[in-house]
Amino acid sequence: MSSPVVVAEIVRSGFVEGHHYGSVVALAPDGSVTWSVGDAESQILPRSCNKPLQALAMVRAGLDLPPDLLALACASHSGEGFHLDGVRRILAGAGLDEDALQTPPDYPLDDAAREALLRAGGGKTRIHMNCSGKHAAMLATCVVNDWDTETYLDPAHPLQVAIAETFAELTGEEIGVVAVDGCGAPLLSTSLVGLARAFRTLAVASEGPERRIADAIRTHPAYVSGTTRDERALLTAIPGAIGKAGAESCHVVALADGRAFALKTDDGAPRVRPVLMAAALVRSGVDREDGVDGDAVRATGELPLLGGGRPVGEIRAAF
């Protein structure tokens, strides 16, 4: 079995002062592995990369949302005003309010939104937590099916059983671990290959719930993350792409032609995640293809290191 390898170097003043270890995989349009580094076949916890697959299970179970709110169901949102309004719309459509959410109270991910909240005298709330769109959609799915809304996070709840079945189907792998995610929801394991394969299925779908999820992400990328995030910039730069980042430096992107990329670092450092995804896309030539904003793709992977307030180095991919 392979092991994680050095995937990035931390370079300061021309000196390599450290490394990030991890794994990356790229799939061809037919779903076969084009290239990989490290260990792409062992089970990982993809964290929020799982959200579009969870949302797919909800749509299959009867959840019916417009594209912007469906994108929010897939989101680790920044807590900007339109995100919060969207969560409230999902809840109101199900006859619920914020009290039904079981997300842990938190601040917005977005710096400006968090600072504005604090200046206004606000504090942590359940709706500001970045997973509140997913939780609102879970609750709405329960209402549609007349399932209990108090226990919707229990792995044995019909909602979570349906999610697990869909997840295993799309990844093509048996779920090895059922953990608890940061938001309290069940967290299902797969490999990087399985994760990329699942997103490929969404990206190439021509109809049905799979196409609805993909199109929601494509048309409303800011709802999936936020207006200032690298994820939104990347999806905007590549026509037809879908993707999702997650905690512990996970990221998966799939293109309309069926190519897909997934990665994870061992140390979980969020700073290196966009560097690696940009490098994976560049290695496969995506930045040079017609219709793609190559400068924007490459820019998402630029991470200068500062010394005295000016750039003196960078974190760069090593594969």
Side-chain angles (χ1 to χ4, degrees):
M1 182 179 295
S2 303
S3 299
V5 299
V6 172
V7 290
E9 297 175 332
I10 306 164
V11 185
R12 181 175 295 275
S13 302
F15 178 75
V16 178
E17 65 171 333
H19 304 87
H20 291 283
Y21 288 76
S23 304
V24 188
V25 67
L27 301 188
D30 65 0
S32 62
V33 174
T34 299
W35 58 265
S36 66
V37 295
D39 181 4
E41 297 185 353
S42 293
Q43 295 266 298
I44 64 163
L45 296 175
R47 303 300 297 273
S48 286
C49 293
N50 286 356
K51 285 176 177 173
L53 308 182
Q54 294 169 313
L56 172 63
M58 293 184 240
V59 173
R60 287 180 171 182
L63 179 67
D64 187 14
L65 296 174
D68 58 339
L69 299 186
L70 191 54
L72 189 56
C74 301
S76 300
H77 66 71
S78 291
E80 297 172 73
F82 67 94
H83 294 130
L84 306 184
D85 290 343
V87 174
R88 294 185 180 107
R89 285 166 57 199
I90 296 173
L91 291 169
L96 302 171
D97 58 27
E98 296 174 37
D99 290 339
L101 294 170
Q102 293 183 27
T103 44
D106 205 352
Y107 293 114
L109 288 181
D110 182 76
D111 290 342
R114 181 171 60 255
E115 290 168 5
L117 177 67
L118 292 172
R119 285 196 300 270
K124 296 181 178 181
T125 69
R126 295 187 184 279
I127 195 171
H128 282 103
M129 200 271 171
N130 74 88
C131 299
S132 63
K134 177 184 76 174
H135 279 244
M138 286 182 169
L139 286 162
T141 305
C142 289
V143 170
V144 167
N145 290 279
D146 197 26
W147 293 334
D148 182 55
T149 58
E150 294 291 332
T151 58
Y152 73 96
L153 297 182
D154 188 327
H157 190 284
L159 169 69
Q160 302 301 338
V161 172
I163 288 173
E165 291 173 350
T166 293
F167 186 86
E169 174 195 332
L170 264 70
T171 61
E173 298 177 352
E174 182 178 345
I175 299 168
V177 176
V178 179
V180 180
D181 213 340
C183 66
L187 172 61
L188 310 176
S189 71
T190 187
S191 69
L192 287 176
V193 171
L195 183 63
R197 182 188 297 124
F199 271 70
R200 176 190 175 276
T201 298
L202 296 177
V204 301
S206 60
E207 60 184 3
E210 294 83 358
R211 181 59 183 263
R212 287 186 60 193
I213 296 292
D215 281 351
I217 295 171
R218 288 171 177 142
T219 55
H220 297 281
Y223 275 82
V224 184
S225 56
T227 57
T228 64
R229 303 258 286 277
D230 65 273
E231 301 143 83
R232 182 208 58 79
L234 190 63
L235 295 185
T236 302
I238 307 173
I242 64 170
K244 185 73 186 72
E248 298 301 324
S249 198
C250 293
H251 201 168
V252 56
V253 169
L255 309 185
D257 66 0
R259 285 175 294 170
F261 307 82
L263 62 88
K264 187 187 185 309
T265 64
D266 265 22
D267 61 9
R271 65 179 185 174
V272 73
R273 174 191 54 73
V275 174
L276 299 179
M277 182 53 75
L281 295 166
V282 169
R283 173 170 172 167
S284 291
V286 175
D287 62 317
R288 301 186 297 277
E289 295 175 358
D290 290 343
V292 174
D293 186 342
D295 289 340
V297 170
R298 292 185 291 271
T300 64
E302 295 174 357
L303 183 62
L305 299 180
L306 303 182
R310 62 183 179 86
V312 297
E314 64 177 337
I315 295 182
R316 65 189 182 198
F319 58 87

